[in-house]
């Protein structure tokens, strides 16, 4: 049920003398297959993974890829839904695709074991493990020039760049959260955050 989401973004820079230039940079993140209609797969991810991204591609577990379009994005909640047309997927790939099982976030307990799956550093899907460290942790980030505070699940499972939009799973393999952020500082270790699946729903 996990996919890699890769694309490109335009980065603009200016020099001390006022000259500007722009270049394309690669972008990578993770998505979770949460639904399937007669025509498309629905993939949930973070808004910051897909916003302002060009040439968005979804890479499945068998290594095949397909074009991906953004259905909707909510930057203040850092949630987005993307879609892949079933006509762009081979029958072999389709037979290996699973739909994520969602667990009620209200059943999560501090101290329970979890695993995080994501496209860490764009190297491909990898797994880290840990526990739920805290619930309803208020985390403030900047979005469109304003501070946005959300209540998130805190975990000590390693959340690295590229893990954004990936899954936080309980020991049964059920989705309990969508990995979104980490506290990054030299004095901080093991503070990752996930959006509760109940909020995402």
């Amino acid at each position: 049920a996990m996919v890699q989401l890769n694309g490109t973004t335009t980065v603009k820079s200016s020099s001390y003398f006022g000259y500007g230039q722009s270049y394309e940079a690669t972008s990578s993140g993770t998505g979770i297959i949460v639904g399937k209609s007669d025509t498309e797969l629905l993939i949930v991810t973070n808004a910051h993974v897909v916003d302002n991204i060009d040439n968005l591609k979804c890479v499945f577990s068998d290594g095949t890829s397909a074009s991906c379009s953004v259905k909707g994005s909510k930057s203040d909640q850092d949630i987005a839904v993307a879609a892949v047309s079933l006509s762009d997927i081979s029958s072999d790939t389709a037979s290996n695709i699973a739909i994520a099982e969602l667990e009620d976030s209200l059943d999560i307990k501090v101290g329970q074991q979890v695993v995080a799956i994501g496209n860490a550093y764009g190297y491909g899907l990898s797994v880290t493990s840990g526990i739920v460290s805290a619930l309803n942790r208020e985390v403030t980030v900047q979005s469109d020039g304003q501070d946005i505070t959300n209540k998130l699940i805190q975990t000590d499972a390693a959340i690295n760049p590229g893990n954004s939009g990936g899954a936080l799973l309980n020991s049964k393999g059920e989705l309990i959260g969508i990995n979104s952020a980490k506290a990054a500082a030299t004095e901080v270790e093991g503070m990752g955050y996930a959006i509760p699946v109940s909020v995402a729903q």
Side-chain angles (χ1 to χ4, degrees):
M2 302 301 125
V3 297
Q4 301 172 51
L5 294 175
N6 299 321
T8 58
T9 184
T10 301
V11 178
K12 295 181 179 180
S13 64
S14 59
S15 71
Y16 179 78
F17 299 104
Y19 298 109
Q21 64 177 8
S22 62
Y23 60 93
E24 278 197 347
T26 58
S27 169
S28 63
T30 311
I32 307 160
I33 301 171
V34 293
K36 180 181 178 181
S37 71
D38 292 338
T39 58
E40 61 190 6
L41 287 175
L42 297 175
I43 298 164
V44 69
T45 187
N46 290 143
H48 76 261
V49 169
V50 296
D51 286 350
N52 304 311
I53 299 297
D54 299 316
N55 307 312
L56 188 63
K57 297 278 187 187
C58 171
V59 182
F60 298 97
S61 60
D62 63 0
T64 62
S65 65
S67 293
C68 198
S69 61
V70 178
K71 301 277 285 184
S73 176
K74 201 165 164 43
S75 59
D76 61 336
Q77 297 288 325
D78 200 18
I79 287 288
V81 174
V84 173
S85 174
L86 291 176
S87 62
D88 292 338
I89 303 170
S90 72
S91 58
D92 285 346
T93 297
S95 67
N96 287 315
I97 289 172
I99 308 298
E101 293 183 34
L102 311 184
E103 166 68 350
D104 191 335
S105 300
L106 297 176
D107 293 335
I108 302 169
K109 303 285 191 293
V110 172
Q112 79 176 71
Q113 290 189 317
V114 291
V115 296
I117 301 179
N119 182 20
Y121 279 100
Y123 291 156
L125 296 179
S126 59
V127 180
T128 57
S129 66
I131 62 168
V132 172
S133 304
L135 299 172
N136 298 314
R137 188 70 84 200
E138 291 192 352
V139 178
T140 302
V141 296
Q142 277 244 325
S143 177
D144 297 327
Q146 55 184 322
D147 287 342
I148 303 292
T149 300
N150 289 307
K151 292 183 177 181
L152 306 177
I153 301 166
Q154 183 183 326
T155 179
D156 66 349
I159 308 294
N160 293 300
N163 274 105
S164 294
L168 189 69
L169 305 170
N170 64 17
S171 58
K172 297 178 182 177
E174 298 165 326
L175 181 68
I176 62 171
I178 299 164
N179 300 325
S180 180
K182 69 178 290 185
T186 54
E187 67 273 17
V188 174
E189 186 174 331
M191 293 181 70
Y193 299 96
I195 301 164
V197 72
S198 57
V199 173
Q201 284 177 290

